[in-house]
Amino acid sequence: MDDIFTQVREGNAFQVRIWLDNTENDLNQGDDHRFSLLHWAAREGRTNIVDMLIQRGARINATNMGDDTALHLAASHGHRDIVIMLLHNKANINAINEHGNTPLHYACFWAQDQVAEDLVNNGALVGIANKFDETPLDKAKMRLANILKDRAVQLGQDLQKVPFKDRSWLGYKTRSRDALLSRHTGIDIAQLNLTSHIATTHSGEVWRGQWQGNDIVAKILALRECSVRNSRDFQEEFPRLRIFNNPNVLPVLACCNQPPNLVVISQFMPYGSLYNVLHGETGIVVDQNQALRFAIDIARGMEFLHFMDPMIPNMILTSKHIMIDEDLAKINIDDPKYYNPDGTVNGIDEDLTARVNMADYKFSFHEKGKLYTPAWMSPEALQRKPADINQKAADMWSFAVLLWELETREVPHADLSPMETGMKIAMEGLRLNIPPGISSHMSRLIKICMNEEPGKRPKFDMIIPILEKLKQK
């Protein structure tokens, strides 16, 4: 097969779908000029491929080396259906590239009249000036300029010119990822520059460092001894954790399989885990809307993992295993409304995303029979062998505990030790109390997801629409 960028450019949707079905392929990777797959599909007018990429989690506002987004390219080439699709998926309508041009600048310059009208109708500002002090109206022919100006006035826009400001130094652009990240598997531990010790956990030593110029976290598994069989099983199980094609799953980037050291490498997340955000001192304010966004992100990640065949075993869903990422691709950083009077940027905290951390996978040979987070586990998961439980239903119970945690901002069963918690849940019917302050809709959803009969718990694709409706209220 030719390279994936060629397949996208030529519109070979079948081959693109096959490529996307391989979880190790990173759909947000960029070519030598950081054009992502979405950039090329938008430029070439491949509507079906654009839709496929968006559904699989392509970063809508990622930029190439010239800071163009997919919307810039679709607008300049007159692909109206793709422009509308991108806007419906929260594309930054007023994004500026390295020359200060917005998608509207390009639509006007290339006489894409209908696209230009669509952009203005959806909030594109006619007064934004580029580096050369030109607004989109300056780029348009007189007839189109008059139409856009009249429409902007009808929509209540202030036609005063917004002067160009170089914001590149802020570092808020999200470039398409270096494709090298998803090409490595086993690497030499000597290539890791481990700079600071983060934590010692029951599963191993966690270090922060750098690899290939990227900030990474390396977890060195804690083992009494690393046998040849352990090393072999590690090599067999590790590739399934390289899930690059879902935005709510944090992939394992690579591993070091050099006995006595077995090392799992993943991307460094500055905010740490959801547990840390909710119960630590990160300074992040998790309001109701952000809590629901996190819940939706987690549900989408779990829905994806549940549709894998076979499912990945030994993944226990807890707030400690959810990492918080600053998804800069969501931020309309070029929109003047995102700026405070003093020039600082606002709205950043609202653009966090939650991702299921595959580095917290429990290898088959690692810590057999040991449970460290019973507060998030279902009664049947504490009572039976993994082979004898419905894993999807058990995950839904764990998700219900996460919803409770997001709503209350409390640690479940914090007054008990893990051993006491596990015994009381499994043997004495200990359950979480839902306080009266929680909304009736969320309270009902938690109870449904925490049904005592595993077979009566919903699936993630059933509750995502419910969470989205709650977010809209």
Side-chain angles (χ1 to χ4, degrees):
M1 183 191 292
D2 292 334
D3 75 271
I4 188 60
F5 296 103
T6 300
Q7 299 292 349
V8 170
R9 284 195 295 270
E10 294 179 353
N12 296 327
F14 177 72
Q15 298 291 356
V16 173
R17 184 177 291 108
I18 291 175
W19 188 89
L20 288 173
D21 285 341
N22 181 346
T23 59
E24 288 196 35
N25 289 329
D26 184 359
L27 85 168
N28 286 306
Q29 72 184 46
D31 61 14
D32 291 342
H33 297 282
R34 289 295 188 271
F35 275 72
S36 69
L37 303 181
L38 186 61
H39 278 103
W40 280 115
R43 183 183 187 278
E44 300 299 324
R46 309 302 183 187
T47 307
N48 56 341
I49 295 179
V50 169
D51 183 52
M52 193 188 310
L53 292 169
I54 290 174
Q55 296 303 319
R56 296 294 186 104
R59 289 191 163 193
I60 302 295
N61 293 315
T63 61
N64 61 15
M65 279 188 167
D67 284 341
D68 292 310
T69 66
L71 186 59
H72 280 95
L73 301 179
S76 63
H77 288 80
H79 302 309
R80 187 185 180 196
D81 50 349
I82 293 177
V83 167
I84 298 300
M85 191 183 301
L86 291 170
L87 292 177
H88 284 168
N89 286 276
K90 299 183 179 180
N92 179 2
I93 199 167
N94 291 307
I96 61 172
N97 64 11
E98 64 179 354
H99 300 296
N101 290 318
T102 67
L104 184 58
H105 277 90
Y106 281 165
C108 290
F109 178 78
W110 292 107
Q112 308 292 357
D113 295 15
Q114 190 60 63
V115 169
E117 290 186 48
D118 290 336
L119 290 169
V120 172
N121 287 332
N122 283 277
L125 300 177
V126 300
I128 293 180
N130 62 17
K131 271 186 177 181
F132 311 102
D133 203 36
E134 299 168 318
T135 69
L137 299 182
D138 296 326
K139 292 281 193 181
K141 294 179 180 178
M142 186 175 293
R143 176 184 167 278
L144 177 60
N146 289 333
I147 291 173
L148 298 181
K149 184 177 180 180
D150 290 344
R151 186 62 184 138
V153 170
Q154 291 172 10
L155 293 169
Q157 280 194 33
D158 182 353
L159 299 187
Q160 185 175 351
K161 184 179 289 187
V162 180
F164 172 77
K165 289 183 180 179
D166 183 7
R167 298 167 186 145
S168 60
W169 61 273
L170 290 168
Y172 289 134
K173 294 286 186 183
T174 299
R175 289 264 165 87
S176 300
R177 287 197 282 255
D178 183 347
L180 289 175
L181 273 178
S182 55
R183 292 178 188 163
H184 286 79
T185 51
I187 62 173
D188 187 341
I189 196 170
Q191 295 178 6
L192 300 180
N193 178 22
L194 303 182
T195 55
S196 58
H197 183 260
I198 296 176
T200 300
T201 70
H202 54 81
S203 59
E205 297 281 335
V206 184
W207 289 78
R208 180 179 177 182
Q210 282 227 328
W211 170 62
Q212 297 284 339
N214 298 284
D215 288 329
I216 54 101
V217 170
K219 181 163 79 171
I220 305 172
L221 299 187
L223 296 168
R224 288 186 178 178
E225 61 175 346
C226 183
S227 65
V228 173
R229 181 172 180 176
N230 291 161
S231 176
R232 183 195 65 199
D233 290 346
F234 182 73
Q235 195 66 32
E236 288 179 358
E237 295 176 39
F238 147 75
R240 297 192 63 194
L241 310 179
R242 291 168 51 77
I243 300 175
F244 285 90
N245 63 356
N246 187 281
N248 298 120
V249 176
L250 184 65
V252 166
L253 300 178
C255 75
C256 298
N257 188 352
Q258 294 174 296
N261 293 317
L262 302 183
V263 187
V264 178
I265 300 159
S266 56
Q267 183 182 350
F268 174 71
M269 298 281 105
Y271 291 118
S273 68
L274 177 60
Y275 185 94
N276 186 49
V277 167
L278 292 176
H279 312 301
E281 296 182 357
T282 60
I284 298 174
V285 177
V286 180
D287 60 17
Q288 189 63 24
N289 282 333
Q290 182 65 77
L292 282 169
R293 279 194 291 271
F294 283 158
I296 293 168
D297 288 343
I298 298 165
R300 286 175 177 160
M302 292 305 297
E303 177 193 25
F304 178 84
L305 294 176
H306 279 188
F307 271 103
M308 294 183 71
D309 187 20
M311 276 180 55
I312 295 176
N314 307 325
M315 284 292 296
I316 298 174
L317 180 58
T318 81
S319 58
K320 296 178 180 180
H321 299 163
I322 302 296
M323 304 304 288
I324 301 303
D325 191 2
E326 191 172 48
D327 192 351
L328 301 179
K330 292 180 183 175
I331 300 173
N332 294 347
I333 204 63
D334 302 309
D335 195 322
K337 73 180 181 181
Y338 269 69
Y339 281 79
N340 297 317
D342 62 357
T344 58
V345 181
N346 63 43
I348 301 300
D349 282 357
E350 295 185 359
D351 293 284
L352 302 174
T353 189
R355 306 176 72 182
V356 182
N357 188 15
M358 301 312 295
D360 286 323
Y361 166 82
K362 189 175 178 181
F363 288 90
S364 61
F365 56 85
H366 195 209
E367 304 178 302
K368 285 187 176 181
K370 294 181 179 179
L371 301 175
Y372 295 96
T373 54
W376 285 266
M377 295 177 67
S378 65
E380 71 272 13
L382 293 167
Q383 295 166 339
R384 306 174 195 166
K385 296 177 181 178
D388 297 333
I389 66 170
N390 179 337
Q391 187 57 55
K392 293 181 179 180
D395 287 342
M396 185 53 67
W397 178 287
S398 300
F399 182 73
V401 177
L402 273 173
L403 289 178
W404 179 92
E405 193 176 358
L406 284 164
E407 287 291 317
T408 64
R409 313 294 195 273
E410 296 179 11
V411 178
H413 307 302
D415 55 332
L416 300 173
S417 69
M419 181 177 289
E420 289 174 316
T421 300
M423 291 294 292
K424 287 181 179 291
I425 291 174
M427 309 301 294
E428 300 177 22
L430 176 66
R431 301 292 184 265
L432 291 169
N433 292 318
I434 300 177
I438 295 179
S439 74
S440 59
H441 297 291
M442 181 58 74
S443 176
R444 192 177 304 118
L445 180 60
I446 292 173
K447 290 175 182 176
I448 291 170
C449 297
M450 208 177 277
N451 196 300
E452 293 291 334
E453 294 187 41
K456 291 185 178 181
R457 295 171 201 157
K459 292 182 170 59
F460 282 102
D461 59 347
M462 298 166 63
I463 66 167
I464 289 172
I466 298 173
L467 289 166
E468 289 174 338
K469 283 184 179 179
L470 289 175
K471 183 174 175 289
Q472 294 168 5
K473 289 184 177 181

